[in-house]
Structure formats: structure tokens, C-alpha cells
Amino acid sequence: MRGLLEGEVHVCRLNLASTPDDLAGQCWPLLDGEEQGRAKRIRHWETRRNFAMVRSALRFLLGRYLSRDPRSIQFVQGEKGKPRLAGTEPDRGLVFNVSHSGECGLIALARDTALGADVERWRDMANQEGIAERCFSVGELAYWRALPLERKQQAFFSLWCFKEAFAKATGEGITLGLESCIVDLSAQPRLVSIPNQCGSPDAWRLVGIIAGKGHSGGICYRGDERKLHLVDDEELVNSLFSFSN
Ligand SMILES: CC(C)(COP(=O)(O)OP(=O)(O)OC[C@H]1O[C@@H](n2cnc3c(N)ncnc32)[C@H](O)[C@@H]1OP(=O)(O)O)[C@@H](O)C(=O)NCCC(=O)NCCS
């Protein structure tokens, strides 16, 4: 795996469902005591698997980029819960964000920017119209409502993903007020309006990520356009195996 350059964003998509069962077990030693404890407390097996797999893959990737034992990497959390490298880590310019939903895990990494990632499994929602009315702007709602039926599910979750990727890039998460982050999907996805404290929408980039069947994915980062590099998940899985053996 090559290094992470200044003008790049690296994205790793993990097909969590196709992961051999015993790999989840083999990843366990990569987690520290706090993470293992947290995983054990998650009752829902899919959520537990997703957390353990994505966190261990994140440790593995960071270990590669930092030339370090993945188990020794230390994280701290921002005020609203966004994890980042601890201040004691020498390469603090390295930033990351992760997301997991359904069968897909998403890890984005870059240098010296604000970075957010989100993946959402398409799912039927009893009150999708109501959620759209609450979370989408007038323009987003009009765009979404005018779409043919077969494109509505994908567009709903793409809008959701981009709003959330932006909110995660800022570190504020849902407290930012997703209805105030307005996305234009009509051409190249872009932010058209964001809360004042986040600066100009033109200062942020949105990139759609193909995240597997029935999922939408997206990342958001601040600054000029960067080159997207996809980290092959098979290579990651194989490496995880060989690390643990
Ligand atoms: C945590 C939050 C940022 C995302 O939660 P989520 O969508 O349930 O979960 P995701 O899998 O996408 O992301 C979770 C990861 O984000 C990271 N994270 C946690 N808090 C974060 C924050 N404030 N900012 C950025 N990243 C954060 C963590 O790494 C976490 O994963 P981990 O604990 O396994 O390491 C949450 O605050 C949020 O915004 N939820 C929004 C849900 C919603 O209703 N969206 C409607 C959109 S229209």
C-alpha cells in the first residue's frame, strides 16, 4: 500500500458481509481494551460486527501510513465525539473519518483538512416523506419529489449522506442541524448553503462514493479538489489476515 500524499483523499470501502466469519475474530486483537469493552456492550450483532471490523481496519490503515503497530495508535474524541489521533501522535496532520451502515464500511483519510464520510443502506422508511420534509430544504424537496420513482430511494440517501458527511467533517455531527446544510445534486454534487460559522459552501468539496448495491456513500472535505484513491479492500483483508497470523 502506498503512502498518503498531500493532495489526495484515500477511501477504503469494506464489504462487511462478505468478510469471512473468522476474520472478525482475528481483528479483535487489533482493538484496545476500551474498544473491546465497547464492542462487547453492543447488543445488536451487526452493529457490533460493523464497529469492530471498521475500527480494526482503521487501525490497520493508520498503522500502515504511520509505520506503526496498529495496536499502539491512540485516539482522542472531540467535544461532539469525533475521533482523531491523540496529541502524542507524531503525524497529527493525518485525519480520518469512518462510517458504517448495513453491509458497508467506509473509511476516508487525508492530510491537513476537515474530513467527513457517510454511508447509508437504502431502507424503507414508514415516514420517508415526513423525514424529507423535516431534513430537506424547499429546493432539495422539490428536486427529490420530481424524480421518477426508481431514482427516489438512491437520491434520498445520497442527500442524507452528503449532509451527514459535511456535518461529520465539521465535527459537529447531527447537532449542526442537517436542514441548514443544503446540497445540490443536479450536476456535480455541491453544497449551496451551510451554517455561517462553517464559512463559504464553495470552500467544501463533496464526492460520491460507490458503496455497493443498495447503499449510498459520500465524503466531504475542506479546500481544493483532491485526487481520490481507492484502497482495495481485498488487499486490506489479506493484510489483516497476515498481520494476525
Ligand atoms: C455520530 C454521528 C456523527 C453519525 O452517526 P451515524 O450516522 O449513526 O453513524 P456513522 O456510522 O455514519 O458514523 C459513526 C462514526 O462517526 C464518528 N463520529 C462520532 N461522532 C462524530 C462527530 N461528531 N463528527 C464526526 N464523526 C463522528 C465515529 O468514528 C463513529 O464511528 P465509531 O464510533 O465506530 O468509530 C451522529 O452525530 C449523527 O450525525 N447522526 C445523524 C443521524 C441522522 O438522523 N441523519 C439524518 C440525515 S438527513
Side-chain angles (χ1 to χ4, degrees):
M1 194 173 74
R2 61 187 183 81
L4 173 54
L5 304 175
E6 199 71 44
E8 295 182 333
V9 184
H10 286 198
V11 169
C12 175
R13 298 164 300 175
L14 295 164
N15 183 345
L16 302 172
S18 77
T19 301
D21 282 348
D22 55 344
L23 179 59
Q26 294 213 39
C27 285
W28 196 253
L30 286 182
L31 304 179
D32 69 16
E34 188 269 328
E35 290 163 341
Q36 290 183 4
R38 186 175 152 198
K40 279 182 193 158
R41 287 192 298 277
I42 302 174
R43 289 205 174 164
H44 185 239
W45 70 269
E46 191 186 62
T47 312
R48 186 170 58 243
R49 174 200 68 185
N50 288 358
F51 166 72
M53 290 296 302
V54 173
R55 180 57 71 98
S56 54
L58 172 68
R59 280 189 172 276
F60 175 82
L61 285 173
L62 289 171
R64 279 287 181 94
Y65 292 130
L66 298 168
S67 305
R68 290 261 308 279
D69 180 339
R71 291 167 294 199
S72 70
I73 292 166
Q74 296 198 317
F75 301 110
V76 288
Q77 283 190 357
E79 218 177 282
K80 306 278 170 55
K82 183 174 184 174
R84 61 175 193 274
L85 290 174
T88 45
E89 298 288 349
D91 193 350
R92 271 173 286 160
L94 189 57
V95 296
F96 60 86
N97 197 234
V98 312
S99 181
H100 24 68
S101 180
E103 298 171 357
C104 186
L106 194 62
I107 304 177
L109 304 108
R111 292 189 181 281
D112 301 309
T113 184
L115 178 65
D118 193 53
V119 60
E120 295 292 337
R121 170 169 46 187
W122 303 353
R123 49 204 184 267
D124 292 327
M125 293 173 145
N127 186 20
Q128 197 176 42
E129 268 285 332
I131 295 170
E133 278 170 20
R134 208 172 56 246
C135 298
F136 294 175
S137 69
V138 175
E140 287 169 333
L141 206 52
Y143 169 82
W144 181 68
R145 281 188 172 141
L147 289 172
L149 195 61
E150 66 276 13
R151 287 194 51 209
K152 283 187 109 165
Q153 193 74 321
Q154 184 259 334
F156 178 89
F157 286 104
S158 291
L159 279 169
W160 181 318
C161 268
F162 285 129
K163 283 168 181 279
E164 209 165 314
F166 169 68
K168 291 177 75 180
T170 67
E172 292 296 316
I174 197 156
T175 60
L176 195 61
L178 294 169
E179 66 294 341
S180 60
C181 314
I182 302 176
V183 173
D184 179 5
L185 281 188
S186 60
Q188 167 73 22
R190 66 188 183 101
L191 287 162
V192 289
S193 178
I194 53 178
N196 280 342
Q197 71 269 25
C198 303
S200 161
D202 295 339
W204 298 85
R205 308 276 155 263
L206 299 178
V207 183
I209 304 291
I210 296 168
K213 201 163 175 266
H215 292 71
S216 292
I219 60 167
C220 176
Y221 57 88
R222 192 169 49 207
D224 293 337
E225 193 175 329
R226 296 178 179 221
K227 192 162 181 270
L228 181 72
H229 171 70
L230 295 174
V231 180
D232 183 82
D233 73 344
E234 233 171 77
E235 179 197 353
L236 180 71
V237 167
N238 291 334
S239 308
L240 275 169
F241 266 128
S242 57
F243 177 82
S244 302
N245 283 336

